[in-house]
Amino acid sequence: MSKIKTFPIGGIHPDKHKITTDSPVVFAGLPEVVTIPVKQHIGAPAKILVKPGDKVKVGTLIADADGIVSSDVHSSVSGEVVKVEAVEGGVGYVEDMITVKVEGDEFEPSIDRSPNISREIPFSADQIVAKIREGGIVGMGGAGYPTPVKTTVPEGKKIDTLILNGIECEPFLTADDRLMTEKSEQLVIGAKLLNKALGIQNAIIAVDENKPQAIAALEAVTKTYVGVNVQVCATKYPQGGEKQLITAITGREVPSGRLPADAGCLVQNVGTVFAIYEMVMKNKPLFERIVTVSGDACLHPANYLVRIGTPVSWLIEQAGGLTPETSQVVLGGPMMGTAAFNINAPITKLTSGVLLLSDNLVARRPEAECIRCGKCVAACPMGLQPYLIGWLMHDHRIDELKNTHVLDCIECGCCAYTCPAHIPLLDYCKLSKMELRKKN
């Protein structure tokens, strides 16, 4: 095993709460209806191709990518389209969605449902990228950037290193952990597909040291695959941030305001890479994903394989339902996730977790005066001064914010987590970024 690596600046060590690490992925089942958003990605919403009364199967294309930065959307169930309308999403925004009444579970015949692992890669680089586009695959680590766009190297740039992000540093979440443990060879083949698409032979699977089962499974598989290796990283949050991970793995830094390609790297979440394997080798579009349902107020924490469009509330019921202790439902992780505005909203391609949290974890304490301790500065993985950003934003001194480099903030929440005065520094950073972007 190579030396354990990490990033050099800032970071914190929140309680891990990885209570579902040993919970195998189980199929969540099918609800009575699914409601599928046509925008589950950064960029333009997909163009709706169906209307009420249409019949669809699992994997049917129901919305077509509208432009380069967009992504196809496929039905996750078989049945009848009953509504095409604007619906309130999980964070309160009204979005166009397609509602399908579930009738059986009939797949498109082109999807290979056999359990056999497809190892031979007969496709060219262009064919691989085209298949990724057809599969509606997006970044599943949270950003949702359309994967075919990210996989296309910008003119004048050169990628020499592919990094598979298996860090999953958010507390409670274990979806990626279980994926790496249970589907290790398929994941490695997915890395080989991306290597071929990029024209390189250097894929590194970065795994947090707190995932021993995943590390063992991946190291056993990579012994038989050239060009794919495992790198164990120290348990530190936010190790899974793209810029932090690139520095940890390669020693390179992504320049301020630039992209990983400027450091010769492409970073893909392991869930995305597995989806690439399934689409390219099995012709299976992205219509389901693993979701961790957990939290200190959750009765039966588990890792579920969930069809896109499944109501969050329905999934919560599979894990025992809302409990009296539940103070907040969070979509994603507790550090960077979002409080659910509407728990009847659908699971999307970007939903890594559904957390039921008690007041012990989410209650905000009264804000006090800054004591100039500097803990927020020491914790910031981007080397910023969160206390200064907070002061300037509080006083609405927007022009002065330009010199704080707040646009480099990755919104990890380390500053707010460490602040002994309970100042909402993350909120101030987010507001600062919004104000500066409005002025530009």
Side-chain angles (χ1 to χ4, degrees):
M1 183 186 294
S2 57
K3 180 182 177 183
I4 294 175
K5 294 184 177 182
T6 191
F7 57 97
I9 300 174
I12 58 175
H13 296 86
D15 291 338
K16 296 184 287 293
H17 298 293
K18 302 285 190 178
I19 53 182
T20 50
T21 293
D22 296 322
S23 301
V25 177
V26 294
F27 179 48
L30 297 174
E32 292 183 1
V33 297
V34 296
T35 305
I36 305 171
V38 298
K39 188 179 188 302
Q40 303 177 56
H41 50 269
I42 288 175
K47 288 182 179 178
I48 296 171
L49 302 177
V50 293
K51 62 184 183 302
D54 287 352
K55 296 288 187 177
V56 295
K57 298 177 182 178
V58 180
T60 300
L61 181 66
I62 57 175
D64 191 20
D66 187 12
I68 296 174
V69 185
S70 187
S71 185
D72 288 350
V73 178
H74 302 78
S75 178
S76 60
V77 296
S78 62
E80 181 180 344
V81 176
V82 292
K83 293 179 184 177
V84 178
E85 62 182 6
V87 178
E88 188 177 73
V91 295
Y93 294 114
V94 175
E95 312 167 43
D96 287 336
M97 300 192 194
I98 299 166
T99 300
V100 182
K101 181 182 178 182
V102 178
E103 299 171 351
D105 197 28
E106 184 181 358
F107 279 57
E108 287 286 354
S110 58
I111 298 173
D112 179 0
R113 300 182 67 191
S114 72
N116 303 324
I117 297 176
S118 301
R119 296 179 175 88
E120 298 299 320
I121 301 175
F123 306 103
S124 68
D126 288 343
Q127 287 173 326
I128 291 170
V129 175
K131 292 284 282 183
I132 292 171
R133 184 174 289 107
E134 290 171 19
I137 299 171
V138 302
M140 294 168 68
Y145 201 82
T147 301
V149 181
K150 195 172 180 181
T151 306
T152 304
V153 182
E155 189 173 346
K157 308 294 181 186
K158 180 175 174 58
I159 302 293
D160 59 35
T161 303
L162 168 67
I163 300 174
L164 278 64
N165 188 346
I167 298 297
E168 198 170 42
C169 55
E170 282 264 16
F172 289 107
L173 302 186
T174 59
D176 289 348
D177 188 355
R178 293 311 308 178
L179 173 65
M180 292 185 288
T181 300
E182 299 179 27
K183 303 291 183 181
S184 52
E185 187 170 9
Q186 294 94 320
L187 184 58
V188 171
I189 297 168
K192 293 289 290 183
L193 288 165
L194 279 175
N195 269 351
K196 188 166 186 178
L198 295 167
I200 63 175
Q201 278 282 4
N202 184 28
I204 300 170
I205 308 175
V207 189
D208 194 301
E209 63 181 331
N210 68 6
K211 299 174 176 56
Q213 295 178 76
I215 292 168
L218 289 167
E219 288 186 335
V221 171
T222 52
K223 289 178 181 177
T224 60
Y225 284 87
V226 176
V228 186
N229 295 289
V230 178
Q231 174 62 59
V232 180
C233 295
T235 300
K236 184 167 67 166
Y237 177 87
Q239 186 87 255
E242 273 194 339
K243 293 183 178 181
Q244 285 67 40
L245 195 54
I246 288 170
T247 300
I249 298 297
T250 68
R252 307 170 191 169
E253 287 192 12
V254 179
S256 176
R258 308 300 286 275
L259 298 172
D262 293 291
C265 297
L266 174 67
V267 181
Q268 294 282 16
N269 174 264
V270 290
T272 307
V273 178
F274 178 69
I276 289 170
Y277 163 81
E278 292 212 298
M279 181 59 203
V280 178
M281 305 301 281
K282 295 286 191 176
N283 209 41
K284 178 185 173 185
L286 178 53
F287 56 74
E288 62 184 1
R289 65 158 297 148
I290 302 171
V291 180
T292 299
V293 184
S294 188
D296 66 331
C298 181
L299 281 177
H300 304 298
N303 294 300
Y304 289 105
L305 182 63
V306 187
R307 299 287 176 86
I308 303 304
T310 297
V312 170
S313 55
W314 189 90
L315 186 58
I316 290 172
E317 287 301 316
Q318 309 315 300
L322 289 175
T323 59
E325 296 77 23
T326 303
S327 176
Q328 194 172 86
V329 175
V330 171
L331 305 179
M335 297 298 294
M336 296 184 72
T338 306
F341 185 86
N342 171 20
I343 66 167
N344 293 315
I347 297 293
T348 73
K349 297 175 184 180
L350 312 184
T351 311
S352 56
V354 175
L355 304 183
L356 279 59
L357 304 179
S358 72
D359 269 340
N360 292 332
L361 295 181
V362 301
R364 285 202 174 190
R365 299 181 184 179
E367 182 179 341
E369 290 289 330
C370 174
I371 61 172
R372 278 71 166 176
C373 65
K375 286 186 177 181
C376 62
V377 178
C380 180
M382 295 304 297
L384 306 180
Q385 295 175 293
Y387 74 90
L388 177 60
I389 295 167
W391 287 347
L392 295 176
M393 187 64 233
H394 181 272
D395 294 341
H396 212 70
R397 292 151 63 184
I398 306 302
D399 289 336
E400 295 177 62
L401 281 168
K402 295 177 182 177
N403 299 322
T404 66
H405 299 283
V406 68
L407 292 177
D408 287 335
C409 170
I410 62 171
E411 301 181 11
C412 63
C414 287
C415 53
Y417 183 88
T418 58
C419 179
H422 312 300
I423 299 170
L425 293 169
L426 175 58
D427 294 348
Y428 283 131
C429 288
K430 289 181 177 180
L431 286 170
S432 298
K433 293 169 72 174
M434 289 172 59
E435 290 295 331
L436 286 176
R437 285 169 177 155
K438 279 196 292 186
K439 294 197 73 170
N440 290 339

